[in-house]
Amino acid sequence: MEKILKPMSGYITLVICLVLFAAAVYFFVSGVDQSITYVVLAMLCFLISCFFLKGLMIIQPNHSRVLNFFGKYVGTVKDNGLFFINPLYSSQKISLRSENLQGQTLKVNDKMGNPIEIAVVIVWKVGDTYRAAFDVERYSDFVRMQSEAAVRHLAMSFPYDNLEDDHAPITLREGGDKINSILEQELTDRLSKAGIVIQEARISHLAYASEIAGAMLQRQQATAIVAARTKIVEGAVGMVDLALKKLSEENIVELDDERKAAMVSNLMVVLCGEKAAQPILNAGTLYN
């Protein structure tokens, strides 16, 4: 588990190192003409200052250092600034900033077996530095590979649309925020073992694969035409029924069944036709 450390400030150690380095220079210059003892003191001061300098550590904002002591995890420093730690510690830099992952466009089969193209954009960051440093080999590569696997699993779990599955509660094309929430949860489950926090995941590209895109477009157009025709016929039937009722209630004209049939036929042609009706003047009667 991650353990947060609060190391001591490094400014005092930096001053001590500068003093020791100055003393080393002074003893070395003095020892050249006087005694070998000064030279030894100069070397000793220089080595001590180098040892202390190795313990100085600068951490930039939204960065961290994972500390180890001969293979044993000591803790993680997340504060930014200049710090002094045990010079024998080894450290690993891990960024805590949010990062974008623009996934490549993948060609997969949806739930109905149709080949589709899908790509996602993921915003993520490191939440647990211990897991990111020690539970996976390279956490950035782990994020990339597991994200691709999650997108493939998502695409195979839902149909592209409801043309073939009328009872599908969620589709990739119309799922919207629900699909994005499912994707975020899938990524969280897969990447939590690496200490990764998913901040946002969105589908950036979704389309049928090129080999079936034309056929699917024609199918969608046919479906839309049928739906539009259905609405037109329903409206036309309602208008014809209203016209017949009004003529009967107002006693404008008395129509027998044959005249009603002819009137309904004419009105349906006018209301449902794609082009404007061409009026024809009938000088005779329906029966002559």
Side-chain angles (χ1 to χ4, degrees):
M1 295 297 293
E2 183 182 65
K3 181 171 63 174
I4 304 299
L5 290 182
K6 300 289 185 180
M8 63 178 292
S9 175
Y11 292 101
I12 297 178
T13 304
L14 179 61
V15 172
I16 294 174
C17 290
L18 293 176
V19 171
L20 288 173
F21 185 77
V25 173
Y26 171 78
F27 286 134
F28 181 78
V29 173
S30 300
V32 172
D33 299 327
Q34 298 184 17
S35 173
I36 192 65
T37 304
Y38 287 95
V39 176
V40 173
L41 289 175
M43 294 180 62
L44 185 61
C45 290
F46 179 76
L47 292 175
I48 293 175
S49 64
C50 291
F51 182 74
F52 283 169
L53 282 174
K54 188 178 182 300
L56 291 177
M57 178 177 63
I58 299 176
I59 301 179
Q60 303 294 338
N62 280 330
H63 285 73
S64 66
R65 292 287 187 92
V66 178
L67 304 179
N68 296 311
F69 184 67
F70 293 109
K72 182 179 180 181
Y73 174 68
V74 177
T76 301
V77 181
K78 291 187 175 181
D79 294 334
N80 59 291
L82 178 65
F83 301 100
F84 177 73
I85 60 173
N86 188 335
L88 298 179
Y89 286 169
S90 61
S91 64
Q92 176 182 351
K93 296 180 180 180
I94 294 182
S95 174
L96 302 178
R97 295 178 293 186
S98 297
E99 298 190 37
N100 280 322
L101 174 62
Q102 174 64 62
Q104 61 179 346
T105 301
L106 305 175
K107 181 181 289 186
V108 297
N109 293 334
D110 68 354
K111 185 179 180 181
M112 308 307 297
N114 298 317
I116 63 173
E117 295 178 350
I118 185 171
V120 299
V121 175
I122 301 170
V123 182
W124 62 278
K125 69 175 183 178
V126 175
D128 190 320
T129 56
Y130 176 84
R131 291 184 175 182
F134 302 113
D135 286 356
V136 294
E137 183 65 26
R138 286 182 293 273
Y139 64 88
S140 57
D141 294 341
F142 186 80
V143 170
R144 188 177 301 105
M145 297 302 296
Q146 290 299 317
S147 299
E148 180 177 331
V151 173
R152 290 184 180 274
H153 182 264
L154 176 74
M156 296 172 61
S157 300
F158 300 97
Y160 178 86
D161 53 28
N162 54 10
L163 287 178
E164 295 185 7
D165 189 358
D166 296 335
H167 304 290
I170 302 176
T171 63
L172 295 174
R173 188 165 64 93
E174 299 177 354
D177 292 337
K178 183 64 175 179
I179 286 292
N180 292 330
S181 298
I182 295 174
L183 176 60
E184 290 181 9
Q185 186 60 48
E186 176 84 12
L187 290 169
T188 299
D189 294 340
R190 289 174 176 268
L191 298 177
S192 59
K193 64 181 66 176
I196 304 300
V197 176
I198 300 298
Q199 298 177 302
E200 186 179 6
R202 293 287 182 270
I203 295 177
S204 59
H205 174 76
L206 181 64
Y208 280 114
S210 57
E211 56 266 27
I212 67 167
M216 287 300 178
L217 178 60
Q218 292 178 356
R219 183 174 182 176
Q220 291 175 353
Q221 290 174 342
T223 302
I225 291 173
V226 170
R229 289 291 184 185
T230 301
K231 291 292 184 182
I232 291 173
V233 171
E234 290 177 355
V237 170
M239 294 173 68
V240 170
D241 181 61
L242 179 62
L244 293 175
K245 287 182 179 179
K246 279 291 186 181
L247 289 173
S248 177
E249 291 174 359
E250 300 292 338
N251 293 321
I252 297 174
V253 65
E254 298 231 355
L255 301 174
D256 56 17
D257 291 339
E258 189 173 356
R259 286 188 172 90
K260 284 183 179 180
M263 181 177 179
V264 169
S265 176
N266 293 333
L267 286 175
M268 291 297 292
V269 170
V270 171
L271 295 174
C272 297
E274 293 185 359
K275 298 181 179 179
Q278 298 271 337
I280 298 176
L281 181 62
N282 185 8
T285 66
L286 184 62
Y287 301 103
N288 294 321

